[in-house]
Amino acid sequence: MSNITNEKVLHYIDELYRPSNKMLSNLRIAAEKRDIPIMTRDAEMMMESIIRMSRPKMVLELGTAIGYSAIFFAATDPNLTITTLEISDKMVDEAIANIQEAGFSERIDVQKGDAAELLTKITQKFDLIFIDAAKGHYKQFFNQCLNLAKPGTIIVSDNILYKGITACDSFLESRRNKTIMRRMREYLTYITHLDGVQTSVLPVGDGIAISIIK
Ligand code: SAH
Ligand code: MG
């Protein structure tokens, strides 16, 4: 549950959501039951708009989990291929199984390991990069991703408002959250002030930042 928008507004928007297909719909329900933090319905709608507007060919994702978002991207546009990075062995196994079931094994490459480490070995350029792993490391991830970007590349950072905690101290409950809050504030200041990059910070889902390389 998010503190970002009014609950009633969020509920209303969720009611407007239509899943892309039955497989994704089942996968979403299964993920939500297990508290796996897949993209929220409203964030998914926005990501679909971004994909249809920008028509990326090469997509990079940090944080695969069970493969929901990767399958969603692949289902949205038949011309894109995805490289997705995941640190958990268990998640990687589940993601590969789900991607196979969806029939996208040819277009989605799941790489197992710490994104920070894997990114040092990747050399191709991407059109769209989705940062959705390890909130404390976003600044490092972003800087690494800049090497894999070119003019026009869109870098989307998910969960940047972190249940509203990033913006409001009053949502704070634990020391761990305090560290995430501090790091996330630092990150948003960084990506909104960086030369050569334009960033919008949006209260969609758990907070999404859209950065475009000029
Ligand atoms: N993008 C997915 C959700 C990802 S949840 C979706 O919307 O469907 C975040 C994932 O990031 C978790 O599965 C977690 O294991 C993974 N993760 C956390 N730290 C990581 C790291 N340093 N490198 C790669 N993956 C990481
Ligand atoms: Mg997320």
Side-chain angles (χ1 to χ4, degrees):
M1 205 40 76
S2 121
N3 291 316
I4 294 172
T5 25
N6 178 297
E7 293 297 336
K8 287 183 180 137
V9 173
L10 191 62
H11 180 75
Y12 173 73
I13 296 173
D14 279 356
E15 294 276 296
L16 296 172
Y17 168 84
R18 288 291 171 271
S20 297
N21 61 51
K22 193 69 196 156
M23 194 245 170
L24 279 167
S25 163
N26 290 337
L27 204 54
R28 167 175 289 288
I29 291 164
E32 287 174 353
K33 268 198 193 124
R34 293 165 60 199
D35 279 330
I36 296 168
I38 62 166
M39 53 165 93
T40 61
R41 291 169 173 75
D42 57 335
E44 178 180 317
M45 288 192 270
M46 200 187 75
M47 287 309 295
E48 179 165 350
S49 301
I50 290 176
I51 288 176
R52 292 189 188 282
M53 287 188 284
S54 63
R55 298 166 189 264
K57 292 261 180 308
M58 303 279 285
V59 178
L60 174 65
E61 174 178 74
L62 280 56
T64 316
I66 59 169
Y68 181 87
S69 48
I71 293 169
F72 172 74
F73 295 152
T76 298
D77 186 337
N79 294 315
L80 61 77
T81 59
I82 304 159
T83 301
T84 181
L85 318 178
E86 172 57 53
I87 200 165
S88 149
D89 291 359
K90 188 172 170 291
M91 287 295 170
V92 167
D93 292 346
E94 281 196 48
I96 289 174
N98 288 328
I99 289 163
Q100 209 148 29
E101 191 192 330
F104 292 139
S105 303
E106 305 272 286
R107 290 201 284 130
I108 304 176
D109 175 29
V110 183
Q111 296 188 14
K112 189 181 343 190
D114 183 344
E117 175 69 29
L118 294 171
L119 284 170
T120 62
K121 293 172 198 147
I122 297 174
T123 52
Q124 65 265 54
K125 302 279 184 197
F126 294 90
D127 307 299
L128 175 67
I129 300 174
F130 185 49
I131 302 180
D132 193 19
K135 289 186 267 295
H137 300 279
Y138 272 23
K139 188 173 172 188
Q140 183 192 347
F141 290 157
F142 190 93
N143 283 328
Q144 290 183 286
C145 287
L146 283 179
N147 297 323
L148 311 178
K150 55 191 178 187
T153 294
I154 299 170
I155 303 179
V156 176
S157 314
D158 195 28
N159 306 96
I160 44 96
L161 293 176
Y162 189 39
K163 300 173 193 153
I165 289 168
T166 306
C168 296
D169 295 12
S170 62
F171 292 134
L172 264 180
E173 278 151 20
S174 67
R175 182 177 287 273
R176 177 173 177 272
N177 283 346
K178 191 165 186 171
T179 304
I180 294 178
M181 176 195 80
R182 184 175 46 75
R183 293 219 181 144
M184 211 42 109
R185 284 183 183 172
E186 225 175 84
Y187 177 64
L188 292 180
T189 302
Y190 178 68
I191 61 174
T192 50
H193 290 63
L194 194 61
D195 284 343
V197 177
Q198 184 270 327
T199 296
S200 301
V201 178
L202 305 173
V204 174
D206 192 28
I208 281 185
I210 302 176
S211 305
I212 302 182
I213 312 304
K214 292 185 193 165

